[in-house]
Amino acid sequence: MAMSFEWPWQYRFPPFFTLQPNVDTRQKQLAAWCSLVLSFCRLHKQSSMTVMEAQESPLFNNVKLQRKLPVESIQIVLEELRKKGNLEWLDKSKSSFLIMWRRPEEWGKLIYQWVSRSGQNNSVFTLYELTNGEDTEDEEFHGLDEATLLRALQALQQEHKAEIITVSDGRGVKFF
Amino acid sequence: MDRFVWTSGLLEINETLVIQQRGVRIYDGEEKECCMAILLSQIVFIEEQAAGIGKSAKIVVHLHPAPPNKEPGPFQSSKNSYVKLSFKEHGQIEPGRIKAVGIVGIERKLEEKRKETDKNISEAFEDLSKLMIKAKEMVELSKSIANKIKDKQGNITEDETIRFKSYLLSMGIANPVTRETYGSGTQYHMQLAKQLAGILQAPLEERGGIMSLTEVYCLVNRARGMELLSPEDLVNACKMLEALKLPLRLRVFDSGVMVIELQSHKEEEMVASALETVSEKGSLTSEEFAKLVGMSVLLAKERLLLAEKMGHLCRDDSVEGLRFYPNLFMTQS
């Protein structure tokens, strides 16, 4: 998976890997980290990760620069992402997490827009159709992982724009 | 021992009992004997012989020759002119002193011991007293030289004069403010603060307007020589500098480090120049910065930390050490 991922300038800046004590500086630093995590996971199509993986991943470990973000600081970055709605812990012990480069609500909006545009309100879809169907090939949410999709649909459900139902071989959704 | 007369041991008519001592033995020369008397008029003088291992304490009584009309005693003649009285149970008599046994005897022993200890201590400190006297002489000497310089007496060149003056500055102060002169407490600290302002002006200017309190402590106490300041006194005096509107002030950094800086010194402005220095070099540790600027590492670190606090620098903390970089987080998009 050797992507031509473009690392941001901070990635080559040693202080990036030290949690800054100055509050204003730290704010900027964390914002940069959040953005980096999301773009990294988006490019590598990584929707979930464990903390252990994260520690050793080039994301937090710049081998060339000989700098690693310490695990306590990684936790702080992940917490920031959670607060922003881009991360969800998958277990109580906070060892693995779901990472969503777009928030579920944002995905929900995109999906609903496509549904409305194509005049398919009141239609029923299987989850698979939505993410892997021919009709959605050009859509951004094509190929979206199921966990994220579910959360997107749950967000729409909250807004009474959709309902998650059970179909013959799994789950589906009805749009209103 | 022919000075003795036999006696019954009972008092004669014109005699009164002054003191009585148990456990006393009379020796005729070196030989032990029994109940006898010696007239007090016969005694020339008395001396003590201290007790030793296996030897009891003794009183040696030196006697006049026997008068011709002496009463009969155990001996008609003796070659010795003294007798020794041995005391097995302590409490030997001193002429004229009321002796005592028991508790008073113990008390007296303690008193003697205390006097002995006192003497030992005094002897031990004799050297220190001598040192103090010498130090006083040195201060006097430097004062007299200072005066000579002032009056331009003696053959000293301009350079030497200046040099000597600087030695004096770092070495001697006349009349150090002492606790005795002013008592302890605020009054003392106020006076001390004023004196400090005088002493520290020049050294501070030499060192770029700022010195750590430990540096100040060393400098001031070296100059005083005697009547050294305790750290508490120094700190308390320094706390009053600003209140007394003196040209220096005490400043405490977040880390707890205390410094004295000239009122004219603006540490915040120094930060701007620190940023320039760091930017030029890309990044610097406290030690590297200290070396470049010619500061102590302690003060260099404080300046860098202040720059970080103000948002001009950020840090890189790794196994390689603590380095400071320009804060690109803020300056770059």
Side-chain angles (χ1 to χ4, degrees):
Chain A
M1 253 233 189
M3 303 279 165
S4 59
F5 179 66
E6 286 234 18
W7 295 103
W9 68 265
Q10 291 95 334
Y11 190 68
R12 270 172 280 274
F13 188 48
F16 194 46
F17 295 84
T18 301
L19 191 66
Q20 295 299 316
N22 180 311
V23 170
D24 298 322
T25 312
R26 182 185 297 199
Q27 227 170 33
K28 293 272 181 188
Q29 180 191 26
L30 287 177
W33 269 114
C34 287
S35 150
L36 173 59
V37 170
L38 292 179
S39 50
F40 180 89
C41 290
R42 175 182 179 178
L43 194 84
H44 292 78
K45 298 227 193 293
Q46 199 150 4
S47 59
S48 67
M49 215 190 268
T50 66
V51 175
M52 300 229 69
E53 279 170 1
Q55 276 180 274
E56 296 312 311
S57 148
L59 176 57
F60 292 110
N61 181 4
N62 186 338
V63 177
K64 201 162 163 204
L65 198 69
Q66 292 191 305
R67 293 285 186 277
K68 290 170 91 149
L69 194 66
V71 70
E72 307 82 28
S73 306
I74 294 179
Q75 299 280 12
I76 292 176
V77 172
L78 297 179
E79 175 58 18
E80 276 303 299
L81 285 165
R82 187 200 64 80
K83 281 197 268 192
K84 289 166 78 163
N86 294 101
L87 184 147
E88 204 183 290
W89 288 108
L90 291 172
D91 62 332
K92 260 211 172 81
S93 58
K94 293 197 183 176
S95 62
S96 70
F97 54 92
L98 185 69
I99 189 84
M100 302 164 281
W101 64 270
R102 262 213 180 88
R103 286 169 30 247
E105 298 77 19
E106 290 165 356
W107 284 122
K109 199 171 177 182
L110 276 175
I111 294 170
Y112 194 74
Q113 275 172 358
W114 172 77
V115 165
S116 302
R117 261 202 328 266
S118 53
Q120 300 187 67
N121 301 64
N122 295 311
S123 321
V124 175
F125 297 87
T126 63
L127 299 188
Y128 185 80
E129 274 181 296
L130 278 177
T131 56
N132 294 81
E134 276 174 8
D135 296 341
T136 66
E137 260 169 24
D138 298 327
E139 300 305 312
E140 277 197 60
F141 55 83
H142 188 88
L144 192 64
D145 66 285
E146 191 172 303
T148 308
L149 175 65
L150 257 175
R151 282 158 180 78
L153 297 175
Q154 276 160 358
L156 283 176
Q157 193 165 253
Q158 292 265 24
E159 294 172 51
H160 306 289
K161 289 183 174 163
E163 192 187 323
I164 300 169
I165 55 181
T166 327
V167 292
S168 48
D169 56 349
R171 277 179 293 192
V173 57
K174 180 175 181 182
F175 293 100
F176 301 119
Chain B
M1 177 30 67
D2 59 342
R3 274 66 142 193
F4 284 95
V5 296
W6 290 118
T7 178
S8 60
L10 300 169
L11 292 172
E12 303 282 320
I13 297 169
N14 52 352
E15 287 180 349
T16 45
L17 177 64
V18 177
I19 37 184
Q20 190 167 14
Q21 173 65 48
R22 285 203 223 294
V24 181
R25 242 202 200 122
I26 297 182
Y27 285 72
D28 175 0
E30 297 300 322
E31 293 171 30
K32 304 179 188 184
E33 275 302 333
C34 62
C35 196
M36 300 163 293
I38 288 186
L39 297 177
L40 284 178
S41 54
Q42 295 262 274
I43 298 177
V44 177
F45 84 104
I46 298 177
E47 61 179 341
E48 277 186 46
Q49 238 176 39
I53 301 169
K55 286 195 328 180
S56 57
K58 295 190 182 56
I59 288 188
V60 183
V61 186
H62 293 266
L63 302 161
H64 287 296
N69 57 344
K70 192 183 75 66
E71 296 283 337
F75 292 99
Q76 292 313 116
S77 67
S78 169
K79 58 178 164 37
N80 298 310
S81 63
Y82 67 92
V83 294
K84 283 186 179 180
L85 305 173
S86 153
F87 298 90
K88 278 189 178 171
E89 291 171 28
H90 305 287
Q92 44 271 39
I93 304 164
E94 265 209 39
R97 204 154 65 121
I98 307 295
K99 66 98 180 128
V101 288
I103 293 178
V104 183
I106 294 171
E107 281 179 340
R108 190 176 309 152
K109 264 230 148 352
L110 286 173
E111 175 70 14
E112 281 169 19
K113 198 158 201 162
R114 191 195 62 75
K115 279 201 183 133
E116 190 66 46
T117 314
D118 240 327
K119 199 163 87 122
N120 289 338
I121 292 176
S122 307
E123 281 172 10
F125 276 87
E126 235 173 67
D127 292 326
L128 265 184
S129 311
K130 290 201 181 115
L131 182 66
M132 297 288 269
I133 293 169
K134 280 279 170 260
K136 210 164 192 162
E137 286 176 36
M138 289 302 294
V139 173
E140 288 303 318
L141 180 64
S142 57
K143 263 200 249 183
S144 83
I145 295 180
N147 286 330
K148 285 213 172 84
I149 289 179
K150 200 170 68 166
D151 303 338
K152 290 261 175 14
Q153 288 174 15
N155 303 323
I156 318 175
T157 68
E158 256 316 302
D159 283 20
E160 285 174 335
T161 310
I162 294 172
R163 221 173 344 133
F164 197 83
K165 272 190 179 150
S166 73
Y167 291 152
L168 285 183
L169 204 69
S170 66
M171 225 187 53
I173 309 176
N175 307 319
V177 176
T178 63
R179 279 191 175 276
E180 283 77 34
T181 331
Y182 289 97
S184 60
T186 335
Q187 190 47 7
Y188 168 63
H189 292 128
M190 273 168 67
Q191 290 303 322
L192 192 54
K194 289 182 190 152
Q195 186 179 75
L196 287 173
I199 309 164
L200 295 173
Q201 186 75 28
L204 274 170
E205 278 163 17
E206 274 172 42
R207 289 163 176 77
I210 187 166
M211 278 172 77
S212 75
L213 202 59
T214 35
E215 286 177 89
V216 169
Y217 178 78
C218 292
L219 193 118
V220 168
N221 274 331
R222 214 186 321 125
R224 284 169 75 102
M226 298 184 289
E227 304 284 356
L228 304 181
L229 286 181
S230 72
E232 297 83 35
D233 281 336
L234 180 66
V235 173
N236 289 330
C238 289
K239 282 181 181 164
M240 308 196 78
L241 288 169
E242 198 142 15
L244 292 172
K245 305 250 191 303
L246 291 163
L248 352 158
R249 59 168 169 247
L250 174 70
R251 182 177 179 157
V252 185
F253 286 114
D254 294 340
S255 58
V257 167
M258 296 199 262
V259 299
I260 300 292
E261 51 176 24
L262 290 171
Q263 283 285 2
S264 56
H265 180 86
K266 303 264 186 298
E267 187 66 12
E268 279 74 6
E269 283 167 13
M270 305 309 285
V271 158
S273 87
L275 174 59
E276 249 186 72
T277 314
V278 174
S279 302
E280 266 173 49
K281 300 287 179 184
S283 73
L284 287 173
T285 63
S286 310
E287 293 79 13
E288 289 165 358
F289 179 67
K291 208 167 178 180
L292 267 175
V293 178
M295 281 176 91
S296 70
V297 177
L298 181 78
L299 292 181
K301 185 160 189 195
E302 289 304 324
R303 187 164 292 174
L304 293 174
L305 287 173
L306 184 62
E308 183 189 44
K309 188 174 172 187
M310 290 169 71
H312 299 304
L313 296 178
C314 58
R315 67 169 60 189
D316 163 40
D317 204 348
S318 70
V319 290
E320 294 171 25
L322 178 61
R323 301 190 79 83
F324 289 90
Y325 285 74
N327 190 354
L328 300 180
F329 292 113
M330 300 307 256
T331 56
Q332 218 151 309
S333 64

